[in-house]
Amino acid sequence: MRINGKRLIADLKRLKEFTDTPGEGVTRFSYGENDSKVREWLFEQAAGLGCVIEQDALKNMRIQMPWNKKGRERIVIGSHID
């Protein structure tokens, strides 16, 4: 998989906007407003790529790439999205 460096930096800058401590790094309180917003943003990005997304009751996300038909390889995200 190729990494588009410019897009990666742009995405990281976007993720930084979802913070509870502006100007002081990035802090998102678990189950808080910015935590929900950043997960929604990530969900939209993955869905736009055709990924299959699952989220459990604790908000752990499992993202399956569209070319992965067998479902064995997934990206799993718990509390640390960045």
Side-chain angles (χ1 to χ4, degrees):
M1 175 187 321
R2 285 189 173 170
I3 304 295
N4 179 322
K6 289 181 182 180
R7 186 178 65 211
L8 175 62
I9 296 300
D11 287 347
L12 289 173
K13 286 180 179 179
R14 179 72 175 121
L15 287 170
K16 185 179 176 185
E17 295 174 15
F18 300 97
T19 183
D20 293 313
T21 56
E24 299 179 26
V26 178
T27 301
R28 286 183 216 103
F29 298 107
S30 298
Y31 307 108
E33 182 179 349
N34 279 308
D35 181 59
S36 294
K37 286 180 180 180
V38 78
R39 289 174 188 280
E40 182 179 323
W41 179 83
L42 182 59
F43 184 94
E44 291 170 1
Q45 299 305 303
L49 295 172
C51 296
V52 175
I53 305 113
E54 298 171 357
Q55 183 169 277
D56 65 22
L58 297 175
K59 294 194 176 186
N60 295 305
M61 298 176 78
R62 291 168 191 83
I63 301 173
Q64 181 178 322
M65 305 308 260
W67 60 82
N68 182 8
K69 302 296 182 197
K70 295 181 182 178
R72 287 186 240 163
E73 298 175 7
R74 295 181 181 184
I75 299 169
V76 178
I77 300 169
S79 61
H80 299 292
I81 291 177
D82 310 79

